Amino acid sequence: MTTRTATSRTRLSKEERRSQLLDLGVRLLSTRSLDELSIDLLAEEAGISRGLLYHYFGNKHDFHEAVVRRAADDLIAQTAPPVEGEPLHRLLVSMTAYLDYVDANEPGYRSLVKAASGGNDTLREIYDEARAALTDRIFREDAQGTLISETPHTRLLVRGWAAMAEELVLGWKADPQGVTRDEVLEMLVVSLPALVAALPSD
Amino acid sequence: MTTRTATSRTRLSKEERRSQLLDLGVRLLSTRSLDELSIDLLAEEAGISRGLLYHYFGNKHDFHEAVVRRAADDLIAQTAPPVEGEPLHRLLVSMTAYLDYVDANEPGYRSLVKAASGGNDTLREIYDEARAALTDRIFREDAQGTLISETPHTRLLVRGWAAMAEELVLGWKADPQGVTRDEVLEMLVVSLPALVAALPSD
């Protein structure tokens, strides 16, 4: 995420300015839900007029779509596993980053999951893309197949595991009940190979 | 589910009649989404006036809520594990019934999951109750603790496993990719003990 402030006086292209406003939108989303993120609020925080914002984002729907797409891209980028290393270690690094991301952006992330599962087709599509990127990566970036080899069964299982990871993290954030962060992390990491090992053999 | 038809001429109490209409509503929901289930459609299928339906269900929202509650109760009842038997066998019976339920009610069930994750708080509450009933049962009805003993960690894990089961079944229904029903069933059943076995020990 950029550290430029939205009130920077530097002369920027329309694309750069739009991108800067999106960063601000994502930052605002880290502490509130999508429903609470209005163009009015963005205008106020950016110190510019609503009219100008409509120049960058056609309407509230387009604005929300752009912010959610940026948030999904951030999530994908931030949870990228390291290129090198043991598969389980790379999974640990990626899951640590996922937990960090949810920590830093809980309301927005919850809102993304909710919007994706709810009625809005565009938001669901963006979310599905993000989730697919996260799960596909487990196969793509594990070229040696030491952790998981790709079959229709493992694809389905990894998809299920991703849903479990989401529920584990959001459930734990909502009510930790004495379970520590390290324990959640370990549950996330050991669950995947355990599930693969338990798969019925062909 | 009752086999009485909605056009039965038997004299029924208001409560019985309402219950009969709910059965019809749930039946209609098995082949369409909640959005497509209108009071008009129910009136047409039941062969009674819209006005009379408003006598039983105050408005569309109350009607949907009552149908979803009935559907959730059906799901809970139909997936009840047998009282006796080996824990893994009881889990297998329960998961078979779950798969049967989704087979018979796919559009309505998808719609319930979607409505629950989306904006509607009442529907989410009903759904959360249903899911909690399903997961709590794994502890309550496993009194010997042979499969899983109840701790904050296993509670969180079972909740995650339930989300995985839902994603596995709905993902598989949408695109089986050659994975057989028996294989899905086995994945559902073996995954839970595998996850528990992989839990970090205290």
Side-chain angles (χ1 to χ4, degrees), chain A residues 42-188:
Chain A
L42 186 72
E44 196 188 314
E45 293 285 330
I48 60 178
S49 71
R50 295 184 68 213
L52 188 54
L53 274 186
Y54 283 111
H55 167 70
Y56 292 108
F57 311 102
N59 54 46
K60 185 180 173 182
H61 180 78
D62 289 354
F63 167 55
H64 276 181
E65 190 183 315
V67 170
V68 167
R69 194 172 290 278
R70 171 66 64 101
D73 288 347
D74 282 353
L75 172 62
I76 294 172
Q78 286 178 39
T79 55
V83 181
E84 296 287 323
E86 260 242 285
L88 262 185
H89 174 72
R90 293 164 67 236
L91 183 61
L92 173 66
V93 173
S94 181
M95 287 298 106
T96 305
Y98 173 59
L99 217 44
D100 287 343
Y101 179 88
V102 180
D103 271 339
N105 302 281
E106 189 180 345
Y109 180 67
R110 250 180 222 287
S111 179
L112 171 63
V113 172
K114 186 171 134 176
S117 323
N120 188 314
D121 285 338
T122 311
L123 298 189
R124 182 161 55 243
E125 218 168 273
I126 297 172
Y127 174 76
D128 280 350
E129 273 170 33
R131 223 201 212 173
L134 292 172
T135 55
D136 287 355
R137 209 155 57 181
I138 287 176
F139 298 108
R140 265 207 329 272
E141 297 183 359
D142 179 29
Q144 297 86 358
T146 35
L147 189 54
I148 308 178
S149 60
E150 187 167 2
T151 69
H153 302 77
T154 56
R155 290 200 72 79
L156 194 59
L157 195 69
V158 166
R159 190 176 158 164
W161 170 80
M164 182 179 81
E166 198 174 276
E167 178 72 26
L168 271 184
V169 170
L170 289 178
W172 173 71
K173 294 286 291 181
D175 184 9
Q177 291 189 70
V179 178
T180 68
R181 189 189 156 90
D182 280 350
E183 287 169 334
V184 171
L185 195 54
E186 190 170 350
M187 283 163 87
L188 293 176

Side-chain angles (χ1 to χ4, degrees), chain A residues 31-46:
Chain A
T31 52
R32 50 178 67 70
S33 74
L34 203 56
D35 286 344
E36 294 160 348
L37 181 63
S38 65
I39 286 201
D40 276 344
L41 177 71
L42 186 72
E44 196 188 314
E45 293 285 330

